[in-house]
Amino acid sequence: HAVLLMLHYVAEGRLTVEQMVQKMSHAVADCFQIKERGYIREGYFADLVLIDQQQKTTITKQNILYKCGWSPLEGISLPA
């Protein structure tokens, strides 16, 4: 649910979409020295996500896939 939570922050104006991409993609690839990922560049792997910002997702027990089986976000609706 990390992407949904970050989209919530974008919708609130706390982050720009560019800042979200930097924090969730570029910074991760750089920090862990993952080659050919984290950026949209020729020759890199294309790990892309399409998002419909008009949709909402409510976090429920049915869509929680964590090993512990719970989330502090349960019951919250976030942009999807």
Side-chain angles (χ1 to χ4, degrees):
H1 297 109
V3 171
L4 298 178
L5 197 53
M6 293 296 270
L7 284 170
H8 174 70
Y9 294 145
V10 169
E12 285 186 339
R14 293 168 139 191
L15 292 173
T16 65
V17 172
E18 293 80 10
Q19 288 171 317
M20 178 186 155
V21 170
Q22 167 26 356
K23 292 176 184 307
M24 298 199 71
S25 187
H26 305 324
V28 175
D30 294 343
C31 178
F32 293 102
Q33 300 175 358
I34 303 169
K35 295 181 181 182
E36 298 179 353
R37 294 202 186 260
Y39 295 86
I40 300 173
R41 294 183 178 154
E42 187 174 337
Y44 277 39
F45 292 95
D47 299 322
L48 302 175
V49 176
L50 297 177
I51 298 166
D52 181 352
Q53 292 181 307
Q54 302 306 312
Q55 294 290 335
K56 293 249 184 221
T57 296
T58 301
I59 299 172
T60 64
K61 284 207 180 289
Q62 290 73 32
N63 62 23
I64 292 173
L65 302 177
Y66 310 126
K67 255 187 182 179
C68 65
W70 66 274
S71 169
L73 301 172
E74 191 174 334
I76 295 175
S77 292
L78 298 169

